[in-house]
Structure formats: C-alpha cells, structure tokens
Amino acid sequence: MAKRILVLNGPNLNMLGLREPETYGSDTLADIEAMCSSEGKNLGLSVDFRQSNLEGELVTWIQQARGNFDAIVINPAAYSHTSVAIHDALRIADMPVVEVHLTNIHARERFRHHSYVSAVAAGVICGLGPVGYKLALVALAERLSKAA
Ligand code: DQA
C-alpha cells in the first residue's frame, strides 16, 4: 500500500504568489500542491495537502494523522516561531516529520531564527523555495521504504 504523507501549511501561505514575491517567489500554494502531487505519484506516495490560518485546526489535523498517515511534511509558517501547541502535537503524532521553509529563516530577522518545530522534526529544509517540499517527499519515501 502507498505510504500516506500529510503536507501541512500554516498561516498566510495561502497568499503565496501575492505575498512579498521578492521574498517568497511567484509560485502560488496551488502550484506547490501540484508539484507535491506529481512528485508523490513519481515516488508512489499518497499526498494529502492542506493549509490553515488557524493554529487549533493544524493541531487537530496533526492529532488525526495518527493511524491515518505515515509521515508529515509541515511548513508551520509564523507558528514555527511561536507554537508550543504544534510542537506538542507533532511529538505525540509519533511519526517522521520534515519541517520545510521556503526562505532561509536563519538569514532573516532574529525572531525567525528559532523554530519550536525543529526539535521534533526528523529533518529541516529551508531556503530552497518550493523545491524544499519535493526534497522532503524524497527523503520521507526513502526513510519509509527502509522502515517497511
Ligand atoms: C516561512 C518562514 C516564516 O518565518 C514565515 O512566518 C512564513 C513562511 C517560509 O516558508 O519561509 O510564513 O515558514
């Protein structure tokens, strides 16, 4: 059976394309979703791609991942830097998590340098733009095939 990957996106990522294109580029979230779904097909993964502006909704989706998904890719956006609730939910989820950021958070404002999610992630990809999502799927396909 295909391994199931939940791809989660946090607040304001629905505005990609319009949002500070000099920082985030011109791809929309729909473009990134299409890329993930095509890469998922190549890798034999089933990919469920979601976005929410609400911290609690992201927490609920992470809780529901148990038993329904094999791994999580998450761009927590601004919640990376603030959310103990998302950190705790990911810890409880008990499955590999890859944290993705479009931008290099370490080369930006100081308040972006710390992520509460990194401590519970198997790996972190940042600064590579949308291709970071694709790389996260490649890494998880490899990891899950070894675990199977
Ligand atoms: C981001 C980086 C965060 O600091 C920011 O709040 C975002 C997007 C990124 O993908 O580069 O919304 O997670």
Side-chain angles (χ1 to χ4, degrees), residues 6-16 19 28-30 32-34 36 47-55 57-59 61-62 72-80 86 98-102 130 132-133:
L6 179 60
V7 182
L8 294 180
N9 293 279
N12 298 308
L13 292 170
N14 55 314
M15 300 303 284
L16 286 176
R19 177 189 185 190
T28 64
L29 196 62
I32 296 177
E33 178 172 9
C36 286
V47 175
D48 186 336
F49 191 97
R50 304 182 196 174
Q51 187 273 336
S52 179
N53 291 324
L54 305 178
E55 184 177 21
E57 185 161 47
L58 291 162
V59 167
W61 286 342
I62 294 165
I72 295 174
V73 174
I74 184 166
N75 182 347
Y79 290 141
S80 318
I86 290 176
V98 177
E99 177 183 2
V100 173
H101 298 280
L102 296 162
Y133 286 75

Side-chain angles (χ1 to χ4, degrees), residues 14-22 24-28:
N14 55 314
M15 300 303 284
L16 286 176
L18 295 174
R19 177 189 185 190
E20 302 173 82
E22 63 292 349
Y24 291 105
S26 56
D27 283 352
T28 64

Side-chain angles (χ1 to χ4, degrees), residues 115-139:
S115 164
Y116 283 98
V117 169
S118 301
V120 288
V124 182
I125 299 169
C126 78
L128 301 178
V131 78
Y133 286 75
K134 203 166 163 173
L135 296 174
L137 293 176
V138 170

Side-chain angles (χ1 to χ4, degrees), residues 86-95 119-120:
I86 290 176
H87 167 107
D88 286 349
L90 289 168
R91 189 183 282 282
I92 299 163
D94 198 27
M95 65 184 70
V120 288

